[in-house]
Every structure is written in structure tokens, then in C-alpha cells.
Amino acid sequence: MKLNGKTIDVKQGTTIFNLLESLKLSDDKVVVEVNYEIVSPEQFPNRTLNNADKVEVVSFVGGG
Amino acid sequence: MKAKEDLELIKIGKIPKKEELEALLVARHTQRVHDKIKKSIVGIAGLGGLGSNVAISLVRLGIGKLVLIDYDVVEPSNLNRQQYFINHIGMLKTEALKDQLRNINPYVNVETKNIYLEEGDVKNCFKECEIVVEAFDNPISKAMLVNTLLKQCPEKYIVAASGMAGYFSNNSIVTRKITNKFYMVGDGETEAKEGSGLMAPRVAIAANHEANTVLRIILGEKNV
């Protein structure tokens, strides 16, 4: 699977929520795009990923 | 003076007429560019270090209308990076910034909303805006605003910001195009925290990345 341009392996059934956990990212500080479509945060626990997917995760840090 | 030299007399503090300010913008930017900027309506969520700087740049450009949203008041600790002055301390940021902007262009159209923006407010607050600038401080609010706009207002452009703390390199602040409608500025990493707080130069660099991205979108330049 492509994650922010890098190739990684995902286990069958990995959800976006699982992925964020493994990246140590909070699900309330990110915007996630899978195959050029934005996925709403309420879908994170349900949406599963596979190795053909192209995923972009944009995370926000504090300050402004 | 020699023959055929032009002499211009400038009276201190004299407010230029609307037509005069407009003619000066046209002369500097060209008619085609000015006409597009003048028609644009841009929303700014958050009027702190990012938002106050973005608003000032856009007004100097001659933006048609701004919709400015914040609930906060100006405090002395803001003065290290936010575009407020001593006489604004204690004022609502919406009022203080409107005062600033009218001192740049007295004819600018500014609408303000003094609210703490929640998910349910987003669509209505920005209904007139073609472009929305995310200028919050809190990363949860940043994500909420961007996700809400992308879902509920897919026709609007969003310019958001993340990572602009301290005095790290100028050159790590970039603008990225994430989707057709969603742009991100900042270095993506440097969180505002103790030992690496927000400082005027980098915050203003990020803010002007946002402002120039807004300008480029208005003028049809969709790439970064």
C-alpha cells in the first residue's frame, strides 16, 4: 500500500483507525484521503485498507 | 524644479477617495488581476498569528469581501506575532482586526462573526465564501474545519496550515496541494510548545503562504 508516497505492507482487515494507531496519530487531528477520496472521520473505524490502496494522511500540529 | 517635472503634494493622514485607491491597485496589479481579486469573497477562521496576517495581506491586495471568525479578545501575549497594537488590548479580535483593515482600506467589505466555530456552524458561516482559510491554533479544530468543509462544501477551496513554530529554517515552510480543493502550508512538524514557541517571522511566512495561495487560486493558478 502507498502511504504518503512510501510503500508499506498492510495486514488484511486493517482499518484506517488501526493505521492511525500504528502511526501514533490521533484520529481527531488528521485528514485522510484514500484513492483520491477524502474519508470522513466517522468512517475511520469501518473503512478497511488493502495493499492496492493509495493513502494520504495529513496530520495537524498545534500553532497558528 | 525643472520644466516638465511632476510635483505631488501629499497631505498627512488624508484618506484617499475610493476611486483613487482602486486606480492605484489597478496600476500596480493590472485591471484583469484587480477585477478578479475584487470579486472574491474569502473566509478566515481564526484571527490570531495566522489569520490577522492573512487578512492584512488580502486587504492590501484589494480583496472584495472577507468573512472573519473568532471569539477571542486581544491580550498582551498576542503582540509577539499577531497583527494587533496596544490600543487593541481587551478588544474582541473581530473588532480589532476590522479596525486595522479599515485603516488600510476604508472601503473594504468586512463581515465578522464573534463565535467559537463548531462543526454545525461551518457551512452557514462560510456560505458566501469561495475560499476558506484555516487559521486556528488548536490542531483538533484545524482537522474539524478541514474535514467538515471537504464533506459539506466540496465546491469550496480550503487553505490550511500546520507547523510554523520557533526559528527553524525558512525553507522548511512549504505549500502542498493535497487534493483539487485542499492546500496545506507549513513545515508539517513543528508544534508550538515550550522551548519552541510561535515567533513572528515564521508565523508570518506561513500566513503569507496562505495568502498567496488564496491569490493564486483567485487568479486561476491551481498548482503550487
Side-chain angles (χ1 to χ4, degrees):
Chain A
M1 188 186 87
K2 283 260 183 187
L3 172 63
N4 293 348
K6 295 200 180 100
T7 307
I8 65 164
D9 242 344
V10 282
K11 266 200 329 246
Q12 184 89 357
T14 301
T15 63
I16 292 177
F17 188 81
N18 298 143
L19 177 68
L20 293 175
E21 258 185 332
S22 71
L23 296 170
K24 296 194 175 28
L25 292 173
S26 295
D27 64 350
D28 58 357
K29 296 181 188 173
V30 295
V31 173
V32 176
E33 187 190 45
V34 178
N35 303 330
Y36 306 105
E37 272 183 42
I38 298 287
V39 180
S40 267
E42 61 268 16
Q43 296 301 318
F44 291 170
N46 305 321
R47 177 70 181 266
T48 51
L49 300 167
N50 63 61
N51 279 315
D53 285 328
K54 189 167 181 289
V55 179
E56 286 282 332
V57 174
V58 173
S59 68
F60 286 94
V61 294
Chain B
M1 281 191 71
K2 302 194 178 87
K4 295 192 182 173
E5 274 187 336
D6 283 330
L7 176 70
E8 197 179 327
L9 297 173
I10 301 175
K11 191 168 178 186
I12 295 174
K14 182 175 176 203
I15 300 174
K17 291 206 182 76
K18 188 174 179 183
E19 303 75 41
E20 187 189 341
L21 276 182
E22 199 154 328
L24 290 168
L25 285 172
V26 169
R28 189 73 70 145
H29 301 163
T30 77
Q31 188 76 54
R32 181 191 76 88
V33 165
H34 176 69
D35 286 345
K36 289 189 178 176
I37 296 171
K38 193 179 164 183
K39 282 202 203 103
S40 288
I41 305 178
V42 177
I44 304 179
L47 304 178
L50 281 171
S52 61
N53 274 291
V54 175
I56 284 176
S57 285
L58 293 181
V59 166
R60 290 196 187 280
L61 283 173
I63 201 81
K65 180 173 177 177
L66 287 180
V67 176
L68 305 178
I69 306 190
D70 205 329
Y71 67 95
D72 206 2
V73 294
V74 179
E75 294 170 47
S77 63
N78 298 151
L79 298 177
N80 88 320
R81 69 201 182 279
Q82 302 187 17
Q83 289 292 349
Y84 298 109
F85 300 122
I86 299 283
N87 60 294
H88 294 127
I89 290 172
M91 276 174 80
L92 288 171
K93 286 189 179 177
T94 43
E95 292 305 308
L97 191 56
K98 190 156 63 176
D99 175 61
Q100 292 280 63
L101 301 177
R102 293 249 161 85
N103 247 334
I104 294 168
N105 183 336
Y107 316 103
V108 71
N109 189 351
V110 173
E111 184 184 316
T112 59
K113 292 185 209 271
N114 181 243
I115 59 169
Y116 183 90
L117 194 70
E118 310 252 16
E119 193 175 323
D121 304 315
V122 170
K123 186 169 182 173
N124 189 50
C125 278
F126 296 117
K127 61 180 184 294
E128 275 190 289
C129 306
E130 303 132 28
I131 305 171
V132 178
V133 175
E134 178 283 301
F136 289 139
D137 192 58
N138 180 327
I140 297 174
S141 305
K142 288 170 176 292
M144 177 285 287
L145 179 64
V146 175
N147 278 312
T148 304
L149 284 167
L150 285 170
K151 182 171 180 185
Q152 297 183 10
C153 309
E155 74 290 353
K156 296 191 197 297
Y157 289 91
I158 306 151
V159 183
S162 177
M164 65 205 71
Y167 54 94
F168 297 98
S169 171
N170 297 336
N171 298 327
S172 51
I173 293 181
V174 295
T175 301
R176 290 194 297 146
K177 183 176 179 178
I178 312 292
T179 74
N180 261 357
K181 303 282 184 171
F182 170 32
Y183 298 76
M184 276 279 282
V185 316
D187 61 37
E189 291 174 351
T190 57
E191 190 180 353
K193 59 184 182 201
E194 210 170 300
S196 142
L198 296 171
M199 301 176 83
R202 274 184 118 237
V203 170
I205 292 172
N208 280 302
H209 267 253
E210 288 194 302
N212 197 43
T213 301
V214 168
L215 177 60
R216 286 173 62 77
I217 293 169
I218 290 170
L219 299 175
E221 297 289 337
K222 304 296 170 67
N223 290 324
V224 300

